[in-house]
RNA sequence: GGGCAGGUACUCAAGCGGCCAACGAGGGCAGACUGUAAAUCUGCUGACUUAUGUCUACGGAGGUUCGAAUCCUUCCCUGCCCA
């Protein structure tokens, strides 16, 4: 194992909080002395199975721990996910069945494997210990925390002040997560800065249970492609790890220029002196923002799809958006008729959700067939030969009639 | 248990008997423009055989009325105050 100061330097890279640092040092020293890896915990919510590059910031940190010889403990929150949110206010927490959580958990882990070293990863489902707790155990757990402490959490404070409902069980979530730390004997728990409260609650509960409290490490939450909100699936401003190279590239190109340094640092994990260099270049005009974004987009695609995919995605992007040509790979769809009106064609190919929508698209000039714009919603089109249907700037479909 | 205020489209939020498929904002979609799927500007944004037409929709169920998101009854849900 590497000496303390070297490890600490790697661990502190890009982090927001590392608390309490002296405990981290103590744990590291002990780990080196006994040649025992630290247990680094990350909790995952399987109600949303898609990982995006925002999550990747945290996973990358875990990977660094692994490269230093430590062990990552991934906890799939299947227990919590099956409870859901009975207030029904938040659709972000639909109650899932056990099967769904298992399925999501598996896909989650497969995606995480793009970044993590799975030989140094332990995957656990929290239902395996939470299901065993009795009501007595739960009450004992709740007695270790106070209402005032819970209300300190930012979103609880806000909702309470705004007279918005807070279900009792929501108070339990931080405690459940904290109990997970007890169950897996976490040395350090990692999460986004939005998790700081929950991570700290873990310390309290561990102490109360007679365990050695974990340390906490938080990573920045990166903004989504809109540049304002945090990246999240529900806001649809995310770049998914399983997105196609084309989508990854395009989504990255669509970020506002102001986000370039952050994406370079946290999505590409570029060294800090390179980030500084790019910032300077952008400021004095020697680096064109578009060039900087192309570079970032290529690197992101290359990271998850391989080097050549990055270059291909770039070429494709140039062709479709800069030269306004059609992409080289287009989905194909055969239809049971040789000719029909545009409206029907759009609906049948699911390029429009309803006939009204199809009509709107046509009227607005968003529909073309073989690069010929169709503006008459009653136009009858012949598809006995294969033709390229285009809706908006981005959606292409090769149609072939019977 | 009592009192009060609320529940409107994807979200927030107006409307408080006909002019309401419902102001406005955000979001989404399309168009123009552009280094880009950015920014900006413009338009659209319940569905249906596109019709000064029909149907569905303003928490649920009933009712009053020629006519209800708007009034009444009742039920469900949320917040606040009192107990």
């Amino acid at each position: 194992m590497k000496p303390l100061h070297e490890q600490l330097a790697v661990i502190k890279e890009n982090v927001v909080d590392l608390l309490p640092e002296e405990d981290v040092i103590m744990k590291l020293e002990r780990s080196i002395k006994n040649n025992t890896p630290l247990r680094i915990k990350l909790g995952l919510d399987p109600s949303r199975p898609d990982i995006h590059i925002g999550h990747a910031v945290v996973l990358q940190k875990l990977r660094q721990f692994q490269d230093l010889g430590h062990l990552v403990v991934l906890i799939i929150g299947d227990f919590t996910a099956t409870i859901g949110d009975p207030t029904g206010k938040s659709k972000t927490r639909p109650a899932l069945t056990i099967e769904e959580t298992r399925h999501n958990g598996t896909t989650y882990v497969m995606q995480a494997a793009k970044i993590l070293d799975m030989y140094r990863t332990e995957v656990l489902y929290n239902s395996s210990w939470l299901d065993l707790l009795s009501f007595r155990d739960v009450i004992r757990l709740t007695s270790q925390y106070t209402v005032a402490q819970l209300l300190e959490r930012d979103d609880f404070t806000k909702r309470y002040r705004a007279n918005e409902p807070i279900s009792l069980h929501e108070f339990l979530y931080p405690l459940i997560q904290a109990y997970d730390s007890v169950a897996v004997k976490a040395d350090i728990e990692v999460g986004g800065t939005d998790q700081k409260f929950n991570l700290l609650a873990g310390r309290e509960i561990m102490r109360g249970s007679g365990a050695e409290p974990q340390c906490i490490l938080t990573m920045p939450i990166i903004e989504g492609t809109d540049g304002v909100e945090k990246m999240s699936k529900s806001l649809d401003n995310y770049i998914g790890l399983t997105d196609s190279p084309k989508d990854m590239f395009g989504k990255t190109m669509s970020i506002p220029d102001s986000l370039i340094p952050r994406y370079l640092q946290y999505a590409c994990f570029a060294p800090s002196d390179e980030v500084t260099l790019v910032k300077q270049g952008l400021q004095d005009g020697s680096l064109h923002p578009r060039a900087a974004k192309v570079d970032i987009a290529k690197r992101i695609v290359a990271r998850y799809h391989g080097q050549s995919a990055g270059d291909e995605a770039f070429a494709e992007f140039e062709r479709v958006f800069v030269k306004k040509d059609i992409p080289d790979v287009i989905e194909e769809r055969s239809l049971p008729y040789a000719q029909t009106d545009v409206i029907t064609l759009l609906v049948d190919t699911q390029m429009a959700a309803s006939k009204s929508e199809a009509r709107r698209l046509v009227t607005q000039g968003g529909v073309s067939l073989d690069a010929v714009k169709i503006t008459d919603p009653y136009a009858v089109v012949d598809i006995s030969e294969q033709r390229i249907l285009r809706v908006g700037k981005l959606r292409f479909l090769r149609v072939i009639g019977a």
Side-chain angles (χ1 to χ4, degrees):
Chain A
M1 277 191 158
K2 288 191 175 165
L4 174 70
H5 64 276
E6 271 183 45
Q7 290 205 34
L8 202 57
V10 174
I11 292 169
K12 286 172 81 170
E13 215 170 80
N14 284 348
V15 308
V16 179
D17 297 294
L18 184 63
L19 302 167
E21 201 172 319
E22 52 281 12
D23 285 10
V24 177
I25 292 172
M26 181 273 288
K27 281 173 189 272
L28 279 172
E29 278 173 341
R30 192 178 54 200
S31 148
I32 294 166
K33 193 174 128 215
N34 301 339
N35 196 29
T36 317
L38 292 179
R39 296 173 66 75
I40 315 297
K41 175 195 169 200
L42 175 69
L44 303 171
D45 172 16
S47 57
R48 298 202 161 265
D50 282 324
I51 303 193
H52 52 62
I53 63 169
H55 298 117
V57 177
V58 172
L59 292 173
Q60 182 64 23
K61 177 53 66 182
L62 291 180
R63 178 59 197 243
Q64 289 180 320
F65 272 106
Q66 291 181 322
D67 292 343
L68 293 171
H70 300 292
L71 184 75
V72 164
V73 183
L74 289 185
I75 298 177
I76 313 287
D78 64 338
F79 180 86
T80 3
T82 52
I83 292 170
D85 184 357
T87 62
K89 288 262 166 158
S90 165
K91 286 165 194 143
T92 56
R93 274 198 181 276
L96 301 184
T97 63
I98 280 287
E99 290 73 37
E100 285 171 321
T101 62
R102 286 299 151 104
H103 175 77
N104 289 350
T106 312
T107 56
Y108 216 137
V109 169
M110 274 164 55
Q111 292 174 66
K114 283 174 183 273
I115 296 170
L116 296 181
D117 171 0
M118 295 315 282
Y119 290 106
R120 289 180 186 277
T121 305
E122 219 175 272
V123 179
L124 300 169
Y125 288 84
N126 70 357
S127 62
S128 59
W129 53 84
L130 292 175
D131 274 338
L132 304 178
L133 294 184
S134 68
F135 200 61
R136 188 178 300 278
D137 296 324
V138 175
I139 290 176
R140 199 171 288 139
L141 183 65
T142 58
S143 70
Q144 292 174 38
Y145 222 72
T146 68
V147 172
Q149 283 175 309
L150 284 165
L151 278 173
E152 271 179 40
R153 198 171 95 171
D154 192 45
D155 69 313
F156 284 150
T157 313
K158 280 188 190 138
R159 284 162 65 190
Y160 193 64
R161 290 220 181 104
N163 289 343
E164 280 168 20
I166 301 173
S167 295
L168 202 48
H169 81 286
E170 292 183 71
F171 271 177
L172 254 29
Y173 278 119
L175 297 185
I176 293 171
Q177 192 175 327
Y179 185 80
D180 288 345
S181 291
V182 176
V184 305
K185 299 184 177 63
D187 284 307
I188 301 179
E189 179 165 9
V190 178
T193 48
D194 57 344
Q195 289 297 312
K196 188 171 174 181
F197 179 93
N198 291 348
L199 303 187
L200 285 168
R203 283 177 62 76
E204 297 289 322
I205 298 301
M206 288 175 95
R207 196 178 287 128
S209 310
E212 181 183 297
Q214 64 185 2
C215 296
I216 72 146
L217 185 156
T218 64
M219 297 298 290
I221 302 284
I222 60 169
E223 293 80 2
T225 51
D226 57 30
V228 182
E229 300 290 341
K230 72 173 188 179
M231 183 173 287
S232 88
K233 197 178 178 206
S234 47
L235 293 171
D236 198 27
N237 62 357
Y238 69 102
I239 301 174
L241 255 47
T242 53
D243 278 352
S244 68
K246 177 181 147 235
D247 281 346
M248 260 189 189
F249 197 95
K251 284 180 180 179
T252 308
M253 288 305 286
S254 80
I255 63 169
D257 295 353
S258 58
L259 234 49
I260 291 173
R262 272 180 83 73
Y263 269 52
L264 187 63
Q265 184 173 7
Y266 297 114
C268 303
F269 306 99
S272 58
D273 28 333
E274 188 191 342
V275 178
T276 316
L277 215 66
V278 167
K279 267 190 205 162
Q280 266 171 11
L282 288 172
Q283 221 151 43
D284 62 30
S286 62
L287 177 65
H288 195 292
R290 183 174 189 272
K293 280 206 269 190
V294 166
D295 180 50
I296 291 172
K298 270 190 188 173
R299 281 158 80 160
I300 291 175
V301 174
R303 179 177 206 88
Y304 299 109
H305 292 285
Q307 189 56 51
S308 59
D311 295 327
E312 280 163 28
F314 172 58
E316 175 90 357
F317 187 83
E318 286 291 302
R319 177 165 59 237
V320 178
F321 298 110
V322 181
K323 300 196 185 104
K324 300 200 192 296
D325 210 342
I326 60 169
D328 61 352
V329 183
I330 303 178
E331 231 182 288
E332 203 172 300
R333 187 70 187 274
S334 54
L335 293 154
Y337 37 73
Q339 57 176 47
T340 182
D341 60 295
V342 213
I343 305 297
T344 313
L345 183 66
L346 287 169
V347 174
D348 285 355
T349 52
Q350 274 124 43
M351 298 295 265
S354 69
K355 295 199 174 184
S356 303
E357 188 183 311
R359 205 167 281 124
R360 254 175 255 135
L361 285 165
V362 172
T363 320
Q364 288 179 137
V367 178
S368 67
L369 199 63
D370 282 349
V372 179
K373 201 172 269 191
I374 299 174
T375 45
D376 174 16
Y378 299 103
V380 172
V381 296
D382 179 29
I383 51 166
S384 52
E385 299 283 312
Q386 101 174 0
R387 312 191 71 175
I388 306 279
L389 177 66
R390 178 180 194 165
V391 176
K393 286 180 185 127
L394 313 169
R395 294 156 62 212
F396 293 88
L397 190 72
R398 195 185 300 278
V399 289
I400 171 88

